[in-house]
Amino acid sequence: MARLFLITGCLALLMIGSFADKEYEAHGHGHDHHHHAHDGHDHHDLESHKKLFDAKIQDGQEQDEKLRIIANKIDTDRDGKVSHDEMRVYVEQRVKALNDREADDLISTLDPKNTNKITFDAYSREYFGDIERSQFSNPDKLNLNLRENKRLYLADKAKWEFVDTDGDLALTYDEFRTFLQPEENEGLAKIEVDSMIHEYDDDKDGKISNAEYKIMTEAEAGQADSLTSEIDTNNDGFGDFDEFSVYYLPSIEKTVNEETDHLMKECDTNKDGYCTPGEITSVYSTFAGSQITDFGADLEKPKEEL
């Protein structure tokens, strides 16, 4: 009997851990791999995320209570259930708070003396390390890692200059916050997407073929992926400027709407248009893998801090 309980517990751990990984990787974490960590919202590594689900196995009641506290915070009218509008308001608050926190963290790293100025040199050292800039003049397109670093560096420099109003290559904190969110600025978004197409559109037809996309994804992530209908929405076999803009640089509004719809779909198990705290805790992994809980970080806090 003890052995049976042990096997059952191990299977449960594997099932929840596997589901958690898929939730973490598949929903809302995959569109930003063309940017640095500041654009990718890199809150926690996957290992720490797995530990959270280990805690769920070890003390499920405690974790459920924490998520129930959060559910009650979302339910602002205190009617015992969460509406779509309440969920959306809370998701938007959390997304913006996370963005602000990450910007603050970067600012304190790049400008420790609080001068209200961040130089491009300080920024590029932080994100490109000791890469010799002279290598970027190398026309060798077979060196995919160098090719992608060159693209990122030149795109970042162009975006930096775009928001640098006085031309001194140093950004104020407000300018730097603008720089960090190209999806919210048409000019910055155009620079970012143009840089992708310009670098990997080898036949210069103004769009990215499946073969070119495989090279692009291998350069950025070390693994060649094919174009899918999620990007190629008109199914013409290419990724164009508009399709790349929608996929790689979704606006905060679009991100919030998609996350809200996803959470409501998962937790509204009786399809009445609302989610009760009980329904929310029943899909723990969905919420633990969402921005609404800072990808589970909120569930690691003591209950009195929630």
Side-chain angles (χ1 to χ4, degrees):
M1 181 63 72
R3 183 181 180 187
L4 176 60
F5 285 138
L6 177 61
I7 292 172
T8 302
C10 289
L11 286 173
L13 176 60
L14 289 171
M15 289 172 65
I16 292 182
S18 176
F19 184 85
D21 294 351
K22 291 177 181 178
E23 184 72 31
Y24 182 77
E25 293 173 332
H27 186 77
H29 303 279
H31 289 200
D32 296 306
H33 52 279
H34 274 273
H35 316 309
H36 305 298
H38 61 73
D39 292 322
H41 309 299
D42 185 18
H43 306 287
H44 306 284
D45 61 30
L46 196 54
E47 186 60 33
S48 66
H49 195 70
K50 289 176 180 176
K51 289 179 181 178
L52 182 64
F53 287 87
D54 290 349
K56 169 67 173 173
I57 290 293
Q58 295 165 6
D59 194 353
Q61 184 176 353
E62 176 80 7
Q63 297 303 108
D64 283 349
E65 287 176 4
K66 290 179 180 180
L67 186 53
R68 190 177 290 271
I69 290 171
I70 292 172
N72 289 330
K73 286 178 63 177
I74 302 172
D75 175 24
T76 53
D77 64 8
R78 300 293 185 265
D79 64 352
K81 54 190 178 181
V82 173
S83 68
H84 188 280
D85 286 344
E86 287 173 324
M87 187 75 79
R88 190 194 184 284
V89 168
Y90 193 78
V91 169
E92 184 174 23
Q93 290 172 353
R94 296 301 289 136
V95 169
K96 289 183 176 179
L98 296 179
N99 287 345
D100 288 344
R101 188 192 69 200
E102 289 172 350
D104 289 342
D105 289 346
L106 282 168
I107 287 169
S108 64
T109 297
L110 298 175
D111 183 30
K113 295 183 179 180
N114 300 316
T115 65
N116 193 34
K117 282 287 186 177
I118 299 173
T119 65
F120 184 73
D121 185 56
Y123 167 81
S124 62
R125 283 200 311 271
E126 177 72 17
Y127 284 100
F128 297 96
D130 297 325
I131 295 176
E132 179 55 53
R133 307 293 184 265
S134 63
Q135 295 182 60
F136 292 157
S137 61
N138 186 345
D140 180 13
K141 292 190 174 185
L142 296 179
N143 187 335
L144 296 182
N145 182 261
L146 178 62
R147 186 175 181 179
E148 177 63 5
N149 275 322
K150 172 186 175 182
R151 183 195 76 77
L152 288 169
Y153 177 83
L154 294 177
D156 276 353
K157 188 172 183 180
K159 288 184 292 181
W160 195 279
E161 292 171 350
F162 181 85
V163 297
D164 177 23
T165 54
D166 60 10
D168 65 351
L169 282 183
L171 302 185
T172 65
Y173 292 169
D174 286 343
E175 289 172 335
F176 186 64
R177 291 177 187 278
T178 299
F179 169 81
L180 293 179
Q181 293 189 309
E183 67 274 12
E184 297 300 307
N185 183 290
E186 185 177 350
L188 292 177
K190 185 176 188 307
I191 291 170
E192 181 68 37
V193 176
D194 277 347
S195 78
M196 299 180 205
I197 294 176
H198 175 76
E199 180 60 39
Y200 296 105
D201 176 24
D202 289 332
D203 61 10
K204 303 306 176 188
D205 63 353
K207 50 192 177 182
I208 300 294
S209 67
N210 186 54
E212 291 166 338
Y213 187 73
K214 286 182 177 180
I215 294 173
M216 183 175 79
T217 51
E218 185 175 357
E220 71 190 13
Q223 177 177 323
D225 293 328
S226 296
L227 277 172
T228 66
S229 58
E230 191 175 3
I231 301 173
D232 178 21
T233 54
N234 63 4
N235 295 310
D236 67 350
F238 297 90
D240 60 29
F241 179 89
D242 290 337
E243 289 170 329
F244 271 37
S245 296
V246 169
Y247 182 77
Y248 285 112
L249 292 173
S251 66
I252 289 179
E253 181 181 12
K254 184 174 187 291
T255 298
V256 167
N257 288 337
E258 288 182 349
E259 187 73 356
T260 302
D261 291 345
H262 170 68
L263 293 173
M264 291 297 298
K265 179 181 177 181
E266 292 298 312
C267 68
D268 182 15
T269 54
N270 65 0
K271 307 305 177 188
D272 66 349
Y274 296 90
C275 291
T276 65
E279 287 177 317
I280 288 173
T281 58
S282 73
V283 288
Y284 174 92
S285 59
T286 296
F287 280 77
S290 166
Q291 293 179 80
I292 202 168
T293 62
D294 191 359
F295 304 110
D298 291 345
L299 297 170
E300 299 177 46
K301 298 177 180 178
K303 285 188 289 185
E304 56 270 17
E305 292 183 15
L306 293 173

